[in-house]
Amino acid sequence: AQSVTQPDIHITVSEGASLELRCNYSYGATPYLFWYVQSPGQGLQLLLKYFSGDTLVQGIKGFEAEFKRSQSSFNLRKPSVHWSDAAEYFCAVASSGGGADGLTFGKGTHLIIQP
Amino acid sequence: GAVVSQHPSWVICKSGTSVKIECRSLDFQATTMFWYRQFPKQSLMLMATSNEGSKATYEQGVEKDKFLINHASLTLSTLTVTSAHPEDSSFYICSATGSPSQTGELFFGEGSRLTVL
Protein backbone atom coordinates (compact mmCIF):
# COMPACT_ATOMS: atom_id res chain seq x y z
CA ALA A 1 0.00 0.00 0.00
CA GLN A 2 1.19 3.47 -0.74
CA SER A 3 1.77 6.04 1.97
CA VAL A 4 2.98 9.60 2.33
CA THR A 5 4.84 11.15 5.23
CA GLN A 6 5.13 14.84 5.86
CA PRO A 7 7.46 15.03 8.87
CA ASP A 8 6.74 18.64 9.75
CA ILE A 9 3.32 19.45 11.17
CA HIS A 10 4.09 23.17 11.42
CA ILE A 11 6.73 25.35 9.82
CA THR A 12 7.29 29.03 10.50
CA VAL A 13 9.17 31.10 7.95
CA SER A 14 9.85 34.80 7.74
CA GLU A 15 8.42 36.64 4.77
CA GLY A 16 11.00 36.76 2.00
CA ALA A 17 12.89 33.74 3.29
CA SER A 18 13.22 30.48 1.43
CA LEU A 19 11.01 27.50 2.13
CA GLU A 20 11.31 23.75 1.91
CA LEU A 21 8.51 21.38 2.86
CA ARG A 22 9.43 17.74 3.16
CA CYS A 23 7.56 14.80 1.73
CA ASN A 24 8.53 11.14 1.72
CA TYR A 25 6.51 8.47 0.03
CA SER A 26 6.31 4.72 0.07
CA TYR A 27 5.25 3.00 -3.11
CA GLY A 28 6.47 -0.08 -4.93
CA ALA A 29 6.47 1.27 -8.44
CA THR A 30 7.03 4.65 -10.04
CA PRO A 31 4.82 7.03 -8.13
CA TYR A 32 2.74 9.88 -9.37
CA LEU A 33 3.35 12.71 -6.95
CA PHE A 34 1.44 15.89 -6.22
CA TRP A 35 1.56 18.92 -4.01
CA TYR A 36 -1.67 20.68 -3.09
CA VAL A 37 -2.33 23.84 -1.10
CA GLN A 38 -5.41 24.43 1.00
CA SER A 39 -6.40 27.81 2.37
CA PRO A 40 -8.58 27.83 5.51
CA GLY A 41 -12.06 26.49 4.87
CA GLN A 42 -11.43 25.90 1.20
CA GLY A 43 -10.78 23.07 -1.19
CA LEU A 44 -7.46 22.03 -2.63
CA GLN A 45 -5.49 23.68 -5.37
CA LEU A 46 -2.85 21.78 -7.30
CA LEU A 47 0.58 23.38 -7.09
CA LEU A 48 2.51 20.91 -9.20
CA LYS A 49 2.82 17.25 -10.10
CA TYR A 50 5.46 14.75 -11.15
CA PHE A 51 4.86 11.82 -13.45
CA SER A 52 8.10 11.24 -15.30
CA GLY A 53 10.96 13.01 -17.00
CA ASP A 54 12.73 15.95 -15.47
CA THR A 55 12.89 15.39 -11.75
CA LEU A 56 12.67 19.09 -11.00
CA VAL A 57 9.16 20.28 -11.66
CA GLN A 58 7.91 23.84 -11.70
CA GLY A 59 4.51 24.75 -10.41
CA ILE A 60 2.30 27.72 -9.89
CA LYS A 61 2.96 30.61 -7.52
CA GLY A 62 6.72 30.19 -7.80
CA PHE A 63 6.86 26.73 -6.25
CA GLU A 64 9.02 23.88 -7.42
CA ALA A 65 9.62 20.33 -6.24
CA GLU A 66 12.32 17.78 -6.83
CA PHE A 67 11.73 14.07 -7.12
CA LYS A 68 14.55 12.01 -5.65
CA ARG A 69 13.96 8.33 -6.16
CA SER A 70 16.94 7.29 -4.05
CA GLN A 71 15.50 9.14 -1.07
CA SER A 72 11.83 8.48 -1.86
CA SER A 73 11.29 12.18 -1.49
CA PHE A 74 9.40 14.93 -3.26
CA ASN A 75 10.20 18.11 -1.35
CA LEU A 76 8.50 21.38 -2.16
CA ARG A 77 10.53 24.57 -2.35
CA LYS A 78 10.09 28.27 -2.86
CA PRO A 79 12.96 30.74 -2.92
CA SER A 80 11.07 33.61 -1.30
CA VAL A 81 7.76 33.24 0.51
CA HIS A 82 4.99 35.79 0.63
CA TRP A 83 2.48 36.30 3.41
CA SER A 84 -0.20 34.93 1.09
CA ASP A 85 1.58 31.57 1.07
CA ALA A 86 0.39 30.87 4.60
CA ALA A 87 -1.80 27.78 4.24
CA GLU A 88 -1.88 24.02 4.65
CA TYR A 89 0.22 22.04 2.20
CA PHE A 90 -0.46 18.43 1.30
CA CYS A 91 1.76 16.00 -0.52
CA ALA A 92 -0.04 13.15 -2.24
CA VAL A 93 0.74 10.02 -4.22
CA ALA A 94 -1.29 8.11 -6.76
CA SER A 95 -0.73 4.78 -8.40
CA SER A 96 -1.88 6.12 -11.75
CA GLY A 97 -1.44 9.42 -13.41
CA GLY A 98 -5.09 10.09 -13.84
CA GLY A 99 -5.71 9.38 -10.21
CA ALA A 100 -8.21 6.71 -11.10
CA ASP A 101 -7.51 4.98 -7.81
CA GLY A 102 -7.71 8.15 -5.78
CA LEU A 103 -4.92 9.92 -3.98
CA THR A 104 -3.22 9.10 -0.72
CA PHE A 105 -2.45 12.25 1.18
CA GLY A 106 0.12 13.08 3.79
CA LYS A 107 -1.09 14.67 7.00
CA GLY A 108 -0.18 18.11 5.80
CA THR A 109 2.22 20.84 6.86
CA HIS A 110 0.85 24.08 8.23
CA LEU A 111 2.91 26.99 6.97
CA ILE A 112 3.05 30.13 9.06
CA ILE A 113 4.59 33.29 7.66
CA GLN A 114 6.15 35.76 10.05
CA PRO A 115 6.26 39.42 9.03
CA GLY B 1 -8.57 24.23 -15.90
CA ALA B 2 -11.51 21.99 -15.19
CA VAL B 3 -13.96 23.10 -12.53
CA VAL B 4 -15.63 21.04 -9.85
CA SER B 5 -18.30 22.67 -7.74
CA GLN B 6 -19.81 21.50 -4.47
CA HIS B 7 -23.06 22.57 -2.93
CA PRO B 8 -23.80 23.52 -0.26
CA SER B 9 -20.50 24.97 0.93
CA TRP B 10 -21.70 24.70 4.51
CA VAL B 11 -24.71 23.17 6.20
CA ILE B 12 -25.96 22.89 9.76
CA CYS B 13 -28.46 20.23 10.62
CA LYS B 14 -30.09 18.59 13.61
CA SER B 15 -29.02 15.19 14.80
CA GLY B 16 -31.00 12.43 13.13
CA THR B 17 -31.67 14.27 9.89
CA SER B 18 -30.15 13.48 6.50
CA VAL B 19 -28.03 15.84 4.48
CA LYS B 20 -27.23 15.72 0.76
CA ILE B 21 -24.08 17.23 -0.72
CA GLU B 22 -23.73 17.67 -4.45
CA CYS B 23 -20.57 17.56 -6.50
CA ARG B 24 -20.70 18.75 -10.08
CA SER B 25 -18.12 18.83 -12.84
CA LEU B 26 -18.91 22.00 -14.72
CA ASP B 27 -16.90 21.69 -17.91
CA PHE B 28 -15.94 18.06 -18.28
CA GLN B 29 -17.39 14.62 -17.96
CA ALA B 30 -16.38 13.06 -14.69
CA THR B 31 -16.20 9.34 -15.16
CA THR B 32 -14.83 8.90 -11.67
CA MET B 33 -15.52 10.93 -8.57
CA PHE B 34 -13.99 10.61 -5.16
CA TRP B 35 -15.32 11.67 -1.79
CA TYR B 36 -12.93 12.65 0.96
CA ARG B 37 -13.47 13.57 4.56
CA GLN B 38 -11.26 15.95 6.46
CA PHE B 39 -11.33 16.38 10.21
CA PRO B 40 -10.05 19.65 11.68
CA LYS B 41 -6.32 20.07 11.24
CA GLN B 42 -6.00 16.64 9.68
CA SER B 43 -5.46 15.19 6.27
CA LEU B 44 -8.00 14.08 3.72
CA MET B 45 -9.20 10.53 4.05
CA LEU B 46 -10.68 8.84 1.02
CA MET B 47 -14.18 7.63 1.79
CA ALA B 48 -15.31 6.18 -1.50
CA THR B 49 -14.82 6.08 -5.23
CA SER B 50 -17.76 6.29 -7.57
CA ASN B 51 -17.89 5.57 -11.26
CA GLU B 52 -20.78 6.85 -13.32
CA GLY B 53 -23.56 4.32 -13.44
CA SER B 54 -21.95 1.94 -10.95
CA LYS B 55 -22.16 1.39 -7.25
CA ALA B 56 -19.59 3.24 -5.22
CA THR B 57 -16.59 1.47 -3.79
CA TYR B 58 -16.13 2.32 -0.14
CA GLU B 59 -12.90 2.38 1.78
CA GLN B 60 -12.50 0.11 4.75
CA GLY B 61 -14.25 1.45 7.80
CA VAL B 62 -16.68 3.69 5.92
CA GLU B 63 -20.31 2.73 6.42
CA LYS B 64 -21.98 2.54 3.04
CA ASP B 65 -25.45 2.68 4.58
CA LYS B 66 -24.47 5.82 6.42
CA PHE B 67 -22.84 7.62 3.53
CA LEU B 68 -24.90 7.05 0.42
CA ILE B 69 -23.17 7.93 -2.81
CA ASN B 70 -24.91 8.28 -6.12
CA HIS B 71 -23.15 8.99 -9.41
CA ALA B 72 -26.06 8.94 -11.80
CA SER B 73 -24.62 11.18 -14.48
CA LEU B 74 -21.25 12.17 -15.85
CA THR B 75 -21.45 15.57 -14.22
CA LEU B 76 -23.04 14.90 -10.86
CA SER B 77 -22.31 12.83 -7.79
CA THR B 78 -24.12 13.17 -4.49
CA LEU B 79 -23.16 12.20 -0.97
CA THR B 80 -26.01 11.77 1.48
CA VAL B 81 -25.19 11.55 5.16
CA THR B 82 -28.10 9.63 6.61
CA SER B 83 -29.29 10.06 10.18
CA ALA B 84 -26.45 12.44 10.85
CA HIS B 85 -24.89 12.65 14.31
CA PRO B 86 -22.44 15.14 15.78
CA GLU B 87 -19.52 12.81 15.07
CA ASP B 88 -20.34 13.15 11.36
CA SER B 89 -19.48 16.83 11.52
CA SER B 90 -16.59 17.31 9.15
CA PHE B 91 -15.37 18.90 5.95
CA TYR B 92 -16.34 16.80 2.95
CA ILE B 93 -14.46 17.29 -0.30
CA CYS B 94 -15.13 15.72 -3.67
CA SER B 95 -12.76 15.37 -6.57
CA ALA B 96 -13.23 14.21 -10.10
CA THR B 97 -11.34 12.88 -13.05
CA GLY B 98 -12.59 12.00 -16.49
CA SER B 99 -12.77 12.92 -20.11
CA PRO B 100 -11.66 14.82 -22.06
CA SER B 101 -8.37 13.55 -20.80
CA GLN B 102 -7.31 15.22 -17.62
CA THR B 103 -4.26 13.07 -17.26
CA GLY B 104 -2.38 13.68 -14.12
CA GLU B 105 -4.80 15.69 -12.12
CA LEU B 106 -7.78 15.34 -9.94
CA PHE B 107 -9.94 18.42 -9.73
CA PHE B 108 -11.26 19.22 -6.30
CA GLY B 109 -14.42 20.90 -5.22
CA GLU B 110 -14.40 23.73 -2.71
CA GLY B 111 -15.55 21.46 0.08
CA SER B 112 -18.70 21.29 2.17
CA ARG B 113 -18.60 21.84 5.89
CA LEU B 114 -21.20 19.83 7.76
CA THR B 115 -22.07 20.67 11.35
CA VAL B 116 -24.48 18.37 13.12
CA LEU B 117 -26.04 19.78 16.27
Side-chain angles (χ1 to χ4, degrees):
Chain A
Q2 57 207 35
S3 66
V4 177
T5 302
Q6 292 180 247
D8 304 304
I9 298 175
H10 300 278
I11 282 190
T12 301
V13 178
S14 297
E15 190 169 14
S18 63
L19 169 71
E20 182 170 38
L21 302 182
R22 296 183 292 166
C23 172
N24 293 96
Y25 67 90
S26 173
Y27 184 61
T30 300
Y32 298 87
L33 297 160
F34 307 80
W35 273 100
Y36 286 88
V37 60
Q38 184 182 34
S39 296
Q42 297 189 23
L44 278 74
Q45 181 181 24
L46 178 69
L47 288 175
L48 46 79
K49 60 183 183 282
Y50 171 78
F51 285 1
S52 64
D54 193 345
T55 56
L56 183 64
V57 293
Q58 303 296 321
I60 63 171
K61 303 185 179 184
F63 286 93
E64 67 177 26
E66 186 171 12
F67 170 60
K68 293 184 177 180
R69 184 186 298 277
S70 61
Q71 299 178 19
S72 297
S73 69
F74 188 56
N75 295 347
L76 181 71
R77 300 194 294 251
K78 186 170 184 177
S80 177
V81 298
H82 186 261
W83 65 266
S84 59
D85 293 325
E88 193 80 19
Y89 290 80
F90 293 97
C91 181
V93 64
S95 57
S96 64
D101 299 322
L103 297 178
T104 299
F105 286 87
K107 294 191 174 184
T109 297
H110 185 60
L111 176 63
I112 300 167
I113 306 296
Q114 283 184 335
Chain B
V3 178
V4 175
S5 178
Q6 279 184 244
H7 178 79
S9 56
W10 60 269
V11 57
I12 301 173
C13 70
K14 293 182 178 180
S15 184
T17 61
S18 295
V19 175
K20 179 185 287 188
I21 300 170
E22 293 184 347
C23 178
R24 294 182 183 273
S25 57
L26 299 185
D27 53 359
F28 70 101
Q29 294 183 323
T31 53
T32 304
M33 285 186 170
F34 305 88
W35 286 95
Y36 292 85
R37 182 174 182 177
Q38 184 181 31
F39 290 103
K41 301 187 185 301
Q42 295 191 28
S43 188
L44 285 75
M45 301 299 296
L46 180 65
M47 298 174 65
T49 303
S50 71
N51 293 295
E52 186 266 337
S54 304
K55 289 185 178 180
T57 302
Y58 290 80
E59 296 299 302
Q60 191 173 11
V62 178
E63 300 174 62
K64 61 181 180 181
D65 296 329
K66 173 77 169 175
F67 299 99
L68 300 179
I69 292 173
N70 183 281
H71 191 168
S73 79
L74 285 171
T75 58
L76 174 64
S77 176
T78 60
L79 167 67
T80 301
V81 183
T82 62
S83 187
H85 288 91
E87 57 266 29
D88 299 324
S89 298
S90 192
F91 194 53
Y92 293 89
I93 303 177
C94 74
S95 68
T97 187
S99 61
S101 176
Q102 305 291 347
T103 302
E105 186 170 354
L106 287 179
F107 297 94
F108 285 82
E110 313 94 324
S112 299
R113 183 166 302 284
L114 170 63
T115 301
V116 184
L117 302 177

